[in-house]
Amino acid sequence: MTAEFVRLEVADGVGTIRLDRPKAMNAISIQVQDELALAAAEATDRGDIRAVVLWGGEKVFAAGNDVKEMASMSYTDMVDRVEKLQHAVNAIARIPKPVVAAINGYALGGGCELTLAADVRFAADSAVLGQPEILLGIIPGAGGTQRLPRLVGPSKAKDLLYTGRFVKADEALAIGLVDRVVPAADVYAEAVAWASTFATAAPYALRAIKESVDRGLEVDLETGLQIERHSFTAIFATEDSRTGMQSFIENGPGKATFEGR
Ligand code: CAA
């Protein structure tokens, strides 16, 4: 399938997954969700991509799922649709590399949920986030009832989910919905700069950290510590671990560059 609305652009070790459906404010249609899943798979597989930026361009991140497309869908249509939607968002969440969402403009509904699949979120000072599904008489289906409370806590999440109200960047920062607020013109560059710091970092260690944190959040502490123990010992099978520790001994901290072996 040739991607029409989601592009993967790669420069200097950073892959940008770029939503580009401006006429509909990057609304996530069936085609967009399928293209997102393909872009996530490619970003996962490509060795020249060491970190990922998720971006919707300078005007809007994404105004949610495509309401015009959804409005006429039946229960049975939706059974398949929501499974594929969650598959696409999960594919982003499971990219085994650092992923940052760069948010300009609106990130609403499925758009906000897409940002929740990133590891961190940088927002424009003019960004607006929210889960307005309730105002349509529906609920989030791209992980909002699950990832949002895990990120901001259940009561703040329920406030946003129950009311559907829009959250400006400063409040989003205060409640932990975003991690950094910057001038709108700088969001993408800041996100790329953050992602670029991983271009020569140890990829297997990054992957192991991401997996340990994400899987650990789903289980009890003892199981989480066991996941960490296994990842910790496994990382000693990589050449990167030799390179990193030897470089510390010879040159001091933070000087190693890693080839991903
Ligand atoms: N789906 C389809 N089209 C959308 C859209 C959406 N989610 N959001 C915006 N658009 C379209 C508008 O219909 C309009 O198209 P036309 O020019 O053809 O009429 C165009 O984008 C521009 O939108 P507006 O004229 O409304 O622009 P605005 O600046 O006045 O308002 C907005 C912007 C506040 C984002 C408003 O468009 C809006 O509220 N959009 C819907 C937001 C929403 O409810 N999102 C949740 C969707 S449901 C969901 O995501 C479910 C899930 O979790 C899986």
Side-chain angles (χ1 to χ4, degrees):
M1 186 174 76
T2 309
E4 184 182 2
F5 298 128
V6 182
R7 294 194 305 275
L8 177 63
E9 294 158 355
V10 186
D12 302 324
V14 174
T16 295
I17 295 177
R18 166 77 157 88
L19 287 162
D20 191 14
R21 197 187 171 209
K23 283 187 187 149
M25 300 195 98
N26 290 342
I28 302 166
S29 60
I30 292 170
Q31 184 177 339
V32 171
Q33 78 189 28
D34 290 347
E35 290 183 10
L36 267 171
L38 286 177
E42 191 178 339
T44 296
D45 290 346
R46 279 178 62 163
D48 60 335
I49 297 177
R50 305 283 279 262
V52 173
V53 178
L54 194 54
W55 193 43
E58 281 148 16
K59 296 205 170 110
V60 63
F61 185 82
N65 263 48
D66 190 324
V67 179
K68 290 170 186 165
E69 187 184 67
M70 278 194 308
S72 58
M73 290 177 80
S74 67
Y75 168 83
T76 44
D77 294 335
M78 202 43 90
V79 170
D80 181 53
R81 165 90 204 261
V82 75
E83 203 165 294
K84 288 187 176 149
L85 173 66
Q86 291 197 351
H87 167 75
V89 178
N90 288 345
I92 298 286
R94 290 185 190 137
I95 295 172
K97 308 171 186 185
V99 178
V100 50
I103 308 164
N104 285 93
Y106 292 107
L108 300 173
C112 187
E113 292 164 288
L114 195 53
T115 76
L116 299 175
D119 297 314
V120 295
R121 284 147 289 280
F122 294 176
D125 47 10
S126 51
V128 175
L129 295 93
Q131 297 290 159
E133 286 88 346
I134 189 72
L135 307 175
L136 299 168
I138 63 173
I139 74 166
T145 65
Q146 301 306 306
R147 290 196 176 94
L148 187 63
R150 282 169 170 77
L151 186 67
V152 303
S155 41
K156 288 190 189 81
K158 283 175 183 163
D159 169 34
L160 301 188
L161 294 163
Y162 288 170
T163 64
R165 69 186 178 83
F166 289 179
V167 176
K168 292 185 179 161
D170 52 353
E171 184 187 353
L173 184 66
I175 66 173
L177 180 53
V178 300
D179 304 283
R180 196 181 293 181
V181 174
V182 298
D186 300 340
V187 178
Y188 180 63
E190 288 268 340
V192 169
W194 183 85
S196 297
T197 61
F198 306 109
T200 57
Y204 288 112
L206 285 169
R207 183 187 187 120
I209 289 169
K210 182 161 180 168
E211 211 173 271
S212 294
V213 171
D214 289 348
R215 288 185 56 207
L217 283 170
E218 310 308 324
V219 296
D220 63 278
L221 180 63
E222 197 43 56
T223 310
L225 289 169
Q226 191 182 45
I227 291 168
E228 183 182 88
R229 265 195 324 274
H230 288 157
S231 296
F232 184 75
T233 47
I235 215 70
F236 280 73
T238 64
E239 257 183 66
D240 286 349
S241 69
R242 307 284 152 222
T243 307
M245 289 187 282
Q246 199 56 39
S247 170
F248 170 79
I249 291 165
E250 288 166 14
N251 311 313
K255 302 272 184 348
T257 58
F258 298 93
E259 290 177 28
R261 287 182 293 160

